Coordinates of all heavy atoms in Angstrom, one line a residue:
M1 N 1.4 3.4 -19.2 CA 2.5 3.5 -18.2 C 3.2 2.2 -18.2 O 2.6 1.1 -18.3 CB 1.9 3.8 -16.8 CG 1.5 5.2 -16.6 SD 1.0 5.5 -14.9 CE -0.5 4.7 -14.7
D2 N 4.5 2.2 -17.9 CA 5.3 1.0 -17.8 C 5.2 0.5 -16.4 O 4.5 1.0 -15.5 CB 6.7 1.3 -18.2 CG 7.4 2.2 -17.2 OD1 6.8 3.0 -16.6 OD2 8.7 2.2 -17.2
K3 N 5.8 -0.6 -16.1 CA 5.7 -1.3 -14.8 C 6.2 -0.5 -13.7 O 5.5 -0.4 -12.6 CB 6.6 -2.6 -14.9 CG 6.7 -3.4 -13.6 CD 7.6 -4.6 -13.8 CE 7.9 -5.2 -12.5 NZ 8.8 -6.4 -12.6
K4 N 7.3 0.2 -13.8 CA 7.9 1.0 -12.8 C 7.0 2.2 -12.4 O 6.7 2.5 -11.3 CB 9.3 1.5 -13.1 CG 10.0 2.2 -12.0 CD 11.5 2.5 -12.5 CE 12.2 3.2 -11.4 NZ 13.6 3.4 -11.8
A5 N 6.5 2.9 -13.4 CA 5.7 4.1 -13.2 C 4.3 3.7 -12.6 O 3.8 4.3 -11.7 CB 5.4 4.8 -14.5
T6 N 3.8 2.5 -13.0 CA 2.5 2.0 -12.5 C 2.7 1.7 -11.0 O 1.9 2.1 -10.2 CB 2.1 0.8 -13.2 OG1 1.9 1.1 -14.6 CG2 0.7 0.3 -12.7
G7 N 3.8 1.1 -10.6 CA 4.1 0.8 -9.2 C 4.2 2.0 -8.4 O 3.7 2.1 -7.3
I8 N 4.9 3.1 -8.9 CA 5.0 4.3 -8.1 C 3.7 5.0 -8.0 O 3.4 5.4 -6.9 CB 6.1 5.2 -8.8 CG1 7.5 4.6 -8.8 CG2 6.1 6.6 -8.2 CD1 8.5 5.3 -9.6
V9 N 2.9 5.1 -9.0 CA 1.6 5.8 -9.0 C 0.7 5.1 -8.0 O -0.1 5.7 -7.4 CB 1.0 6.0 -10.4 CG1 -0.4 6.5 -10.3 CG2 1.9 6.9 -11.2
A10 N 0.8 3.8 -7.9 CA -0.1 3.0 -7.1 C 0.0 3.4 -5.6 O -0.9 3.3 -4.8 CB 0.2 1.5 -7.2
Y11 N 1.2 3.8 -5.2 CA 1.4 4.2 -3.8 C 1.0 5.6 -3.5 O 1.0 6.0 -2.3 CB 2.9 4.0 -3.4 CG 3.3 2.6 -3.2 CD1 4.0 1.9 -4.2 CD2 3.0 1.9 -2.1 CE1 4.4 0.6 -4.1 CE2 3.4 0.6 -1.9 CZ 4.1 0.0 -2.9 OH 4.4 -1.4 -2.7
I12 N 0.7 6.4 -4.5 CA 0.4 7.9 -4.2 C -0.8 8.1 -3.3 O -0.8 8.8 -2.3 CB 0.3 8.6 -5.5 CG1 1.6 8.5 -6.4 CG2 0.0 10.1 -5.3 CD1 2.8 9.0 -5.7
S13 N -1.9 7.5 -3.7 CA -3.2 7.6 -2.9 C -4.2 6.6 -3.5 O -3.9 5.9 -4.4 CB -3.8 9.1 -3.0 OG -4.1 9.3 -4.4
L14 N -5.4 6.7 -3.0 CA -6.4 5.8 -3.6 C -6.7 6.2 -5.0 O -6.9 5.3 -5.9 CB -7.7 5.9 -2.8 CG -8.9 5.1 -3.3 CD1 -8.6 3.6 -3.3 CD2 -10.2 5.4 -2.4
I15 N -6.7 7.5 -5.3 CA -6.9 7.9 -6.7 C -5.7 7.4 -7.6 O -5.9 7.0 -8.7 CB -7.1 9.4 -6.8 CG1 -8.4 9.8 -6.1 CG2 -7.1 9.9 -8.2 CD1 -8.6 11.3 -5.9
G16 N -4.5 7.5 -7.1 CA -3.4 7.0 -7.8 C -3.4 5.5 -8.0 O -3.1 5.0 -9.1
W17 N -3.9 4.8 -7.0 CA -4.1 3.4 -7.1 C -5.1 3.1 -8.3 O -4.8 2.2 -9.1 CB -4.5 2.7 -5.8 CG -4.5 1.3 -5.9 CD1 -3.5 0.4 -5.6 CD2 -5.6 0.4 -6.3 NE1 -3.9 -0.9 -5.8 CE2 -5.2 -0.9 -6.2 CE3 -6.9 0.6 -6.7 CZ2 -6.0 -2.0 -6.6 CZ3 -7.7 -0.4 -7.1 CH2 -7.2 -1.7 -7.0
L18 N -6.2 3.8 -8.3 CA -7.2 3.6 -9.3 C -6.6 3.9 -10.7 O -6.9 3.1 -11.7 CB -8.5 4.4 -9.0 CG -9.3 4.0 -7.8 CD1 -10.3 5.0 -7.5 CD2 -9.9 2.6 -8.1
I19 N -5.9 4.9 -10.8 CA -5.3 5.3 -12.1 C -4.3 4.2 -12.5 O -4.3 3.7 -13.7 CB -4.6 6.6 -12.0 CG1 -5.6 7.8 -11.9 CG2 -3.7 6.9 -13.3 CD1 -5.0 9.1 -11.6
A20 N -3.5 3.7 -11.6 CA -2.5 2.7 -11.9 C -3.2 1.4 -12.3 O -2.8 0.6 -13.2 CB -1.6 2.4 -10.7
F21 N -4.3 1.1 -11.6 CA -5.0 -0.2 -11.9 C -5.7 -0.2 -13.3 O -5.6 -1.1 -14.0 CB -6.1 -0.4 -10.8 CG -6.8 -1.7 -10.9 CD1 -6.2 -2.9 -10.5 CD2 -8.1 -1.8 -11.4 CE1 -6.8 -4.1 -10.7 CE2 -8.7 -3.0 -11.6 CZ -8.1 -4.2 -11.2
F22 N -6.3 1.0 -13.6 CA -7.1 1.0 -14.9 C -6.2 1.4 -16.1 O -6.5 1.0 -17.2 CB -8.3 1.9 -14.7 CG -9.4 1.3 -13.8 CD1 -9.7 1.9 -12.6 CD2 -10.0 0.2 -14.2 CE1 -10.6 1.3 -11.8 CE2 -11.0 -0.4 -13.4 CZ -11.3 0.2 -12.2
A23 N -5.2 2.3 -15.8 CA -4.4 2.8 -17.0 C -3.0 2.2 -17.1 O -2.3 2.5 -18.0 CB -4.4 4.3 -16.9
G24 N -2.6 1.5 -16.1 CA -1.2 1.1 -16.0 C -1.0 -0.3 -16.5 O -1.9 -1.0 -16.9
D25 N 0.2 -0.8 -16.3 CA 0.6 -2.2 -16.7 C 0.2 -3.1 -15.5 O 1.0 -3.3 -14.6 CB 2.1 -2.2 -16.9 CG 2.6 -3.6 -17.2 OD1 1.8 -4.5 -17.5 OD2 3.8 -3.8 -17.2
K26 N -1.0 -3.6 -15.5 CA -1.5 -4.4 -14.4 C -0.7 -5.6 -14.1 O -0.4 -6.0 -13.0 CB -3.0 -4.8 -14.6 CG -3.9 -3.7 -14.2 CD -5.3 -4.3 -14.3 CE -6.0 -3.8 -15.6 NZ -7.4 -4.2 -15.7
E27 N -0.3 -6.3 -15.1 CA 0.4 -7.6 -15.0 C 1.8 -7.3 -14.5 O 2.3 -8.1 -13.6 CB 0.4 -8.4 -16.3 CG -0.9 -9.0 -16.7 CD -1.6 -9.8 -15.6 OE1 -0.8 -10.7 -15.0 OE2 -2.7 -9.6 -15.3
G28 N 2.5 -6.3 -15.0 CA 3.8 -6.0 -14.6 C 3.9 -5.5 -13.2 O 4.9 -5.8 -12.5
A29 N 3.0 -4.7 -12.8 CA 3.0 -4.0 -11.5 C 2.0 -4.6 -10.5 O 1.6 -4.0 -9.5 CB 2.8 -2.5 -11.6
K30 N 1.5 -5.8 -10.7 CA 0.5 -6.5 -9.8 C 1.0 -6.5 -8.4 O 0.3 -6.3 -7.5 CB 0.2 -7.9 -10.3 CG -1.0 -8.5 -9.6 CD -1.3 -9.8 -10.1 CE -2.0 -9.8 -11.4 NZ -2.5 -11.0 -11.9
F31 N 2.3 -6.8 -8.2 CA 2.9 -6.9 -6.9 C 2.7 -5.6 -6.1 O 2.2 -5.5 -5.0 CB 4.4 -7.2 -7.0 CG 5.1 -7.3 -5.6 CD1 5.0 -8.4 -4.8 CD2 5.8 -6.2 -5.2 CE1 5.6 -8.4 -3.6 CE2 6.4 -6.2 -3.9 CZ 6.3 -7.3 -3.1
H32 N 3.1 -4.4 -6.7 CA 2.9 -3.1 -6.1 C 1.5 -2.7 -6.0 O 1.1 -2.0 -5.0 CB 3.8 -2.1 -6.8 CG 5.3 -2.3 -6.6 ND1 5.9 -2.2 -5.4 CD2 6.2 -2.7 -7.5 CE1 7.2 -2.5 -5.5 NE2 7.4 -2.8 -6.8
L33 N 0.7 -3.0 -6.9 CA -0.8 -2.8 -6.8 C -1.3 -3.5 -5.6 O -2.1 -2.9 -4.8 CB -1.5 -3.2 -8.1 CG -1.3 -2.3 -9.3 CD1 -1.9 -3.0 -10.5 CD2 -2.1 -0.9 -9.0
N34 N -1.0 -4.7 -5.4 CA -1.4 -5.5 -4.2 C -0.9 -4.9 -2.9 O -1.7 -4.7 -2.0 CB -1.0 -6.9 -4.3 CG -1.6 -7.8 -3.3 OD1 -2.8 -7.9 -3.2 ND2 -0.8 -8.4 -2.4
Q35 N 0.4 -4.6 -2.8 CA 0.9 -4.0 -1.6 C 0.3 -2.7 -1.3 O -0.1 -2.4 -0.1 CB 2.4 -3.8 -1.8 CG 3.2 -5.0 -2.1 CD 3.6 -5.8 -0.8 OE1 2.8 -6.2 -0.1 NE2 4.9 -5.8 -0.6
S36 N 0.1 -1.9 -2.3 CA -0.6 -0.6 -2.0 C -2.0 -0.7 -1.6 O -2.5 0.0 -0.7 CB -0.5 0.3 -3.3 OG -1.1 1.5 -3.1
L37 N -2.7 -1.7 -2.1 CA -4.1 -1.9 -1.8 C -4.2 -2.4 -0.3 O -5.1 -2.0 0.5 CB -4.8 -3.0 -2.7 CG -6.3 -3.2 -2.4 CD1 -7.1 -2.0 -2.6 CD2 -6.7 -4.3 -3.4
V38 N -3.3 -3.2 0.1 CA -3.2 -3.7 1.5 C -3.0 -2.5 2.4 O -3.6 -2.3 3.5 CB -2.1 -4.7 1.7 CG1 -1.8 -5.0 3.2 CG2 -2.5 -6.0 1.0
L39 N -2.1 -1.5 2.0 CA -1.8 -0.4 2.8 C -3.1 0.6 2.9 O -3.4 1.1 3.9 CB -0.6 0.4 2.3 CG 0.7 -0.2 2.5 CD1 1.8 0.5 1.7 CD2 1.0 -0.2 4.0
I40 N -3.8 0.7 1.8 CA -5.0 1.5 1.8 C -6.0 1.0 2.7 O -6.7 1.7 3.5 CB -5.5 1.7 0.3 CG1 -4.5 2.5 -0.5 CG2 -6.9 2.3 0.3 CD1 -4.8 2.5 -2.0
I41 N -6.3 -0.3 2.6 CA -7.2 -1.0 3.5 C -6.8 -0.9 4.9 O -7.6 -0.6 5.8 CB -7.5 -2.5 3.1 CG1 -8.1 -2.5 1.7 CG2 -8.3 -3.2 4.1 CD1 -8.2 -3.9 1.1
G42 N -5.5 -1.0 5.2 CA -5.0 -0.9 6.6 C -5.2 0.6 7.1 O -5.6 0.8 8.3
N43 N -5.0 1.6 6.2 CA -5.3 2.9 6.6 C -6.7 3.2 6.9 O -7.1 3.9 7.9 CB -4.8 3.9 5.6 CG -3.3 4.1 5.6 OD1 -2.7 4.2 6.7 ND2 -2.7 4.2 4.5
V44 N -7.6 2.6 6.2 CA -9.1 2.7 6.5 C -9.4 2.1 7.8 O -10.1 2.7 8.6 CB -9.9 2.1 5.3 CG1 -11.4 2.0 5.7 CG2 -9.8 2.9 4.0
V45 N -8.9 0.9 8.1 CA -9.1 0.3 9.4 C -8.6 1.1 10.5 O -9.2 1.3 11.6 CB -8.5 -1.2 9.4 CG1 -8.5 -1.8 10.8 CG2 -9.2 -2.0 8.4
V46 N -7.3 1.6 10.4 CA -6.8 2.5 11.4 C -7.6 3.7 11.6 O -7.8 4.2 12.7 CB -5.3 2.8 11.1 CG1 -4.7 3.9 11.9 CG2 -4.4 1.5 11.2
G47 N -8.1 4.3 10.5 CA -8.9 5.5 10.7 C -10.2 5.2 11.4 O -10.6 6.0 12.2
I48 N -10.8 4.1 11.2 CA -12.0 3.7 11.9 C -11.7 3.4 13.4 O -12.4 3.9 14.3 CB -12.7 2.5 11.3 CG1 -13.2 2.8 9.9 CG2 -13.8 1.9 12.2 CD1 -13.7 1.7 9.1
L49 N -10.5 2.7 13.7 CA -10.1 2.5 15.1 C -9.8 3.8 15.8 O -9.9 3.9 17.0 CB -9.0 1.5 15.1 CG -9.2 0.1 14.7 CD1 -7.9 -0.7 14.7 CD2 -10.2 -0.5 15.7
G50 N -9.3 4.8 15.1 CA -8.9 6.0 15.7 C -10.1 6.8 16.3 O -9.9 7.7 17.1
V51 N -11.3 6.5 15.9 CA -12.5 7.1 16.4 C -12.8 6.6 17.8 O -13.4 7.4 18.6 CB -13.7 7.0 15.4 CG1 -14.9 7.6 15.9 CG2 -13.3 7.6 14.1
V52 N -12.5 5.4 18.0 CA -12.8 4.8 19.3 C -11.8 5.3 20.4 O -10.6 5.1 20.2 CB -12.7 3.2 19.2 CG1 -13.1 2.6 20.6 CG2 -13.6 2.7 18.1
P53 N -12.3 5.9 21.4 CA -11.4 6.5 22.4 C -10.4 5.6 23.1 O -9.3 5.9 23.3 CB -12.3 7.1 23.5 CG -13.6 7.3 22.8 CD -13.7 6.2 21.7
I54 N -10.8 4.4 23.4 CA -10.0 3.4 24.1 C -8.8 2.9 23.2 O -7.7 2.7 23.6 CB -10.8 2.2 24.6 CG1 -11.8 2.7 25.6 CG2 -9.9 1.2 25.2 CD1 -12.8 1.7 26.1
V55 N -9.1 2.8 21.9 CA -8.1 2.2 21.0 C -7.4 3.3 20.2 O -6.5 3.0 19.4 CB -8.9 1.3 20.0 CG1 -7.9 0.4 19.2 CG2 -9.9 0.5 20.7
K56 N -7.6 4.6 20.5 CA -7.0 5.7 19.8 C -5.5 5.6 19.7 O -4.9 5.8 18.7 CB -7.5 7.0 20.4 CG -7.0 8.2 19.6 CD -7.3 9.5 20.2 CE -8.8 9.6 20.7 NZ -9.1 10.9 21.2
Y57 N -4.8 5.3 20.8 CA -3.4 5.3 20.9 C -2.8 4.1 20.1 O -1.7 4.2 19.5 CB -2.9 5.3 22.4 CG -3.4 6.5 23.1 CD1 -4.4 6.5 24.0 CD2 -2.9 7.8 22.8 CE1 -4.9 7.6 24.7 CE2 -3.3 8.9 23.4 CZ -4.3 8.8 24.3 OH -4.8 10.0 24.9
V58 N -3.5 3.0 20.2 CA -3.0 1.8 19.4 C -3.1 2.1 17.9 O -2.3 1.8 17.1 CB -3.8 0.6 19.8 CG1 -3.5 -0.6 18.9 CG2 -3.6 0.2 21.3
A59 N -4.2 2.8 17.6 CA -4.4 3.2 16.2 C -3.3 4.1 15.7 O -2.9 4.1 14.6 CB -5.8 3.8 16.0
G60 N -2.9 5.0 16.6 CA -1.8 5.9 16.3 C -0.5 5.2 16.0 O 0.2 5.5 15.0
I61 N -0.2 4.2 16.8 CA 1.0 3.4 16.6 C 0.9 2.6 15.3 O 1.9 2.5 14.5 CB 1.3 2.5 17.8 CG1 1.6 3.3 19.0 CG2 2.4 1.5 17.5 CD1 1.6 2.6 20.3
L62 N -0.3 2.0 15.0 CA -0.5 1.3 13.8 C -0.4 2.2 12.6 O 0.2 1.8 11.5 CB -1.8 0.6 13.8 CG -2.0 -0.6 14.7 CD1 -3.4 -1.1 14.8 CD2 -1.0 -1.7 14.4
G63 N -0.9 3.4 12.7 CA -0.8 4.4 11.6 C 0.7 4.7 11.3 O 1.1 4.9 10.2
L64 N 1.5 4.9 12.4 CA 2.9 5.2 12.2 C 3.6 4.0 11.5 O 4.4 4.2 10.6 CB 3.6 5.4 13.5 CG 5.0 5.8 13.5 CD1 5.3 7.1 12.7 CD2 5.6 6.0 14.9
F65 N 3.2 2.8 11.9 CA 3.8 1.6 11.2 C 3.4 1.5 9.8 O 4.2 1.2 8.9 CB 3.2 0.3 11.9 CG 3.5 -1.0 11.2 CD1 4.8 -1.5 11.2 CD2 2.5 -1.6 10.6 CE1 5.1 -2.6 10.5 CE2 2.8 -2.8 9.9 CZ 4.1 -3.3 9.9
L66 N 2.2 1.9 9.4 CA 1.7 1.9 8.0 C 2.5 3.0 7.2 O 2.7 2.7 6.0 CB 0.2 2.1 7.9 CG -0.6 0.9 8.4 CD1 -2.1 1.2 8.4 CD2 -0.4 -0.3 7.6
V67 N 2.8 4.1 7.8 CA 3.5 5.1 7.1 C 4.9 4.6 6.8 O 5.4 4.8 5.7 CB 3.6 6.4 7.9 CG1 4.6 7.4 7.4 CG2 2.2 7.1 8.0
V68 N 5.6 3.9 7.7 CA 6.9 3.4 7.5 C 6.8 2.3 6.4 O 7.7 2.3 5.5 CB 7.5 2.8 8.8 CG1 8.7 2.0 8.5 CG2 7.7 3.9 9.8
C69 N 5.8 1.5 6.4 CA 5.6 0.5 5.4 C 5.4 1.1 4.0 O 5.8 0.6 3.0 CB 4.4 -0.5 5.7 SG 4.8 -1.6 7.1
W70 N 4.6 2.2 4.0 CA 4.4 3.0 2.8 C 5.7 3.4 2.1 O 5.9 3.3 0.9 CB 3.4 4.1 3.0 CG 3.2 5.0 1.8 CD1 2.3 4.7 0.8 CD2 3.8 6.2 1.5 NE1 2.3 5.7 -0.1 CE2 3.2 6.6 0.3 CE3 4.7 7.0 2.1 CZ2 3.6 7.8 -0.3 CZ3 5.1 8.2 1.5 CH2 4.5 8.6 0.3
F71 N 6.6 4.0 3.0 CA 7.9 4.5 2.5 C 8.7 3.3 1.9 O 9.3 3.4 0.9 CB 8.7 5.2 3.6 CG 8.4 6.6 3.7 CD1 7.8 7.1 4.9 CD2 8.7 7.5 2.7 CE1 7.5 8.5 5.0 CE2 8.4 8.9 2.8 CZ 7.8 9.3 4.0
I72 N 8.7 2.2 2.6 CA 9.4 1.0 2.2 C 8.9 0.6 0.8 O 9.7 0.3 -0.1 CB 9.3 -0.1 3.2 CG1 10.1 0.2 4.5 CG2 9.9 -1.5 2.6 CD1 9.9 -0.7 5.6
G73 N 7.6 0.5 0.7 CA 7.0 0.1 -0.6 C 7.3 1.1 -1.7 O 7.6 0.7 -2.9
L74 N 7.2 2.4 -1.4 CA 7.4 3.4 -2.5 C 8.9 3.4 -2.9 O 9.1 3.5 -4.1 CB 7.0 4.8 -1.9 CG 7.2 5.9 -2.9 CD1 6.2 5.7 -4.1 CD2 6.9 7.2 -2.2
I75 N 9.8 3.2 -2.0 CA 11.2 3.2 -2.3 C 11.5 1.9 -3.2 O 12.2 2.0 -4.2 CB 12.1 3.2 -1.1 CG1 12.0 4.6 -0.5 CG2 13.5 2.9 -1.4 CD1 12.6 4.7 0.9
A76 N 10.9 0.8 -2.8 CA 11.1 -0.4 -3.6 C 10.5 -0.2 -5.0 O 11.1 -0.7 -6.0 CB 10.4 -1.6 -2.9
A77 N 9.4 0.4 -5.1 CA 8.8 0.7 -6.5 C 9.7 1.6 -7.3 O 9.8 1.4 -8.5 CB 7.4 1.3 -6.3
C78 N 10.3 2.6 -6.7 CA 11.2 3.5 -7.4 C 12.4 2.8 -7.9 O 12.9 3.1 -8.9 CB 11.6 4.7 -6.5 SG 10.2 5.8 -6.1
K79 N 12.9 1.8 -7.1 CA 14.0 1.0 -7.5 C 13.7 -0.1 -8.5 O 14.6 -0.7 -9.1 CB 14.7 0.4 -6.3 CG 15.4 1.4 -5.4 CD 16.0 0.7 -4.2 CE 16.8 1.6 -3.3 NZ 17.4 0.9 -2.2
G80 N 12.4 -0.4 -8.7 CA 12.0 -1.4 -9.6 C 12.1 -2.8 -8.9 O 12.1 -3.8 -9.6
E81 N 12.1 -2.9 -7.6 CA 12.2 -4.1 -6.9 C 10.9 -4.6 -6.4 O 9.9 -3.8 -6.3 CB 13.1 -3.9 -5.6 CG 14.5 -3.5 -5.9 CD 15.3 -3.2 -4.6 OE1 14.7 -3.1 -3.5 OE2 16.5 -3.0 -4.7
E82 N 10.8 -5.9 -6.1 CA 9.5 -6.4 -5.5 C 9.8 -6.9 -4.1 O 9.9 -8.0 -3.8 CB 9.0 -7.5 -6.4 CG 8.5 -7.1 -7.7 CD 7.8 -8.2 -8.5 OE1 7.7 -9.3 -8.0 OE2 7.2 -7.9 -9.6
K83 N 9.9 -5.9 -3.2 CA 10.3 -6.1 -1.8 C 9.0 -6.0 -1.0 O 8.3 -5.0 -1.0 CB 11.3 -5.1 -1.3 CG 11.7 -5.3 0.1 CD 12.8 -4.2 0.5 CE 13.2 -4.4 1.9 NZ 14.1 -3.4 2.3
E84 N 8.7 -7.1 -0.3 CA 7.5 -7.1 0.6 C 7.6 -6.2 1.7 O 8.7 -6.1 2.3 CB 7.2 -8.5 1.1 CG 6.6 -9.5 0.0 CD 6.1 -10.7 0.6 OE1 6.2 -11.0 1.8 OE2 5.5 -11.5 -0.2
I85 N 6.5 -5.5 2.1 CA 6.5 -4.7 3.3 C 6.4 -5.6 4.5 O 5.9 -6.7 4.4 CB 5.4 -3.6 3.2 CG1 4.0 -4.3 3.0 CG2 5.6 -2.6 2.1 CD1 2.9 -3.3 2.9
P86 N 7.0 -5.1 5.6 CA 7.0 -6.0 6.8 C 5.6 -6.3 7.3 O 4.7 -5.5 7.3 CB 7.8 -5.1 7.9 CG 8.4 -4.0 7.1 CD 7.7 -3.8 5.8
L87 N 5.5 -7.5 7.8 CA 4.4 -8.1 8.5 C 3.1 -8.3 7.6 O 2.5 -9.3 7.7 CB 4.0 -7.3 9.8 CG 5.1 -7.3 10.9 CD1 4.6 -6.4 12.0 CD2 5.4 -8.6 11.4
I88 N 2.8 -7.3 6.9 CA 1.5 -7.4 6.1 C 1.8 -7.6 4.6 O 0.8 -7.6 3.8 CB 0.6 -6.2 6.3 CG1 1.4 -4.9 6.0 CG2 0.1 -6.1 7.7 CD1 0.5 -3.6 6.1
G89 N 3.0 -7.7 4.2 CA 3.4 -7.8 2.8 C 2.9 -9.2 2.2 O 2.8 -9.3 1.0
G90 N 2.7 -10.2 3.0 CA 2.3 -11.5 2.5 C 0.8 -11.6 2.2 O 0.4 -12.6 1.6
I91 N 0.1 -10.6 2.5 CA -1.4 -10.6 2.2 C -1.6 -10.4 0.7 O -1.1 -9.4 0.1 CB -2.1 -9.6 3.0 CG1 -1.9 -9.8 4.5 CG2 -3.6 -9.6 2.7 CD1 -2.5 -8.7 5.4
K92 N -2.3 -11.3 0.1 CA -2.5 -11.2 -1.4 C -4.0 -11.0 -1.6 O -4.9 -11.8 -1.3 CB -2.1 -12.5 -2.1 CG -0.7 -12.9 -1.9 CD 0.2 -12.0 -2.6 CE 1.7 -12.4 -2.4 NZ 2.6 -11.4 -2.0
I93 N -4.4 -9.8 -2.1 CA -5.7 -9.5 -2.4 C -6.0 -9.7 -3.9 O -7.0 -10.2 -4.3 CB -6.1 -8.1 -2.0 CG1 -5.9 -8.0 -0.4 CG2 -7.5 -7.7 -2.4 CD1 -6.1 -6.6 0.1
L94 N -5.1 -9.2 -4.7 CA -5.2 -9.3 -6.2 C -4.5 -10.6 -6.6 O -3.4 -10.9 -6.2 CB -4.5 -8.1 -6.9 CG -5.1 -6.7 -6.6 CD1 -4.2 -5.7 -7.3 CD2 -6.5 -6.6 -7.1
K95 N -5.2 -11.3 -7.4 CA -4.6 -12.6 -7.9 C -4.2 -12.5 -9.3 O -4.6 -11.8 -10.1 CB -5.7 -13.7 -7.8 CG -6.2 -13.9 -6.4 CD -5.6 -15.0 -5.7 CE -6.2 -15.0 -4.3 NZ -5.5 -15.6 -3.3

């Protein structure tokens, strides 16, 4: 896969991220792989927080924020741009 396709597939799901990581252009799409991984980890955290009754509504708002960030990242990957997602885009997991 080329850089653009790898970036798009990385945003699809955890399975898409794994496919993009192992079969795609890692160096070319490292930015989108990192952004997508931050979103996946954020979704796991929001899912865990959603179980706690007191924090359920805050988790819902955070979940909505992550969906908006996901759209921003996916659109940027489709355009071939390296645009950071708001607030959490500066987190670097992959070096």
Side-chain angles (χ1 to χ4, degrees):
M1 283 190 287
D2 65 337
K3 174 183 173 181
K4 188 174 180 180
T6 303
I8 294 169
V9 171
Y11 284 103
I12 301 300
S13 66
L14 177 60
I15 294 171
W17 187 89
L18 290 171
I19 291 170
F21 185 76
F22 290 113
D25 178 16
K26 277 189 258 187
E27 289 305 313
K30 188 181 287 188
F31 178 81
H32 290 294
L33 285 168
N34 186 62
Q35 298 277 63
S36 179
L37 184 59
V38 169
L39 287 172
I40 290 169
I41 292 170
N43 279 321
V44 169
V45 170
V46 166
I48 292 169
L49 289 176
V51 176
V52 180
I54 297 172
V55 196
K56 186 186 309 185
Y57 299 108
V58 174
I61 293 169
L62 289 174
L64 183 61
F65 170 72
L66 289 175
V67 168
V68 171
C69 288
W70 178 80
F71 274 114
I72 291 170
L74 183 62
I75 290 170
C78 289
K79 290 181 178 179
E81 300 173 349
E82 290 188 356
K83 180 179 179 184
E84 286 190 354
I85 54 178
L87 298 177
I88 57 175
I91 301 172
K92 303 292 183 229
I93 298 174
L94 298 175
K95 304 261 178 200

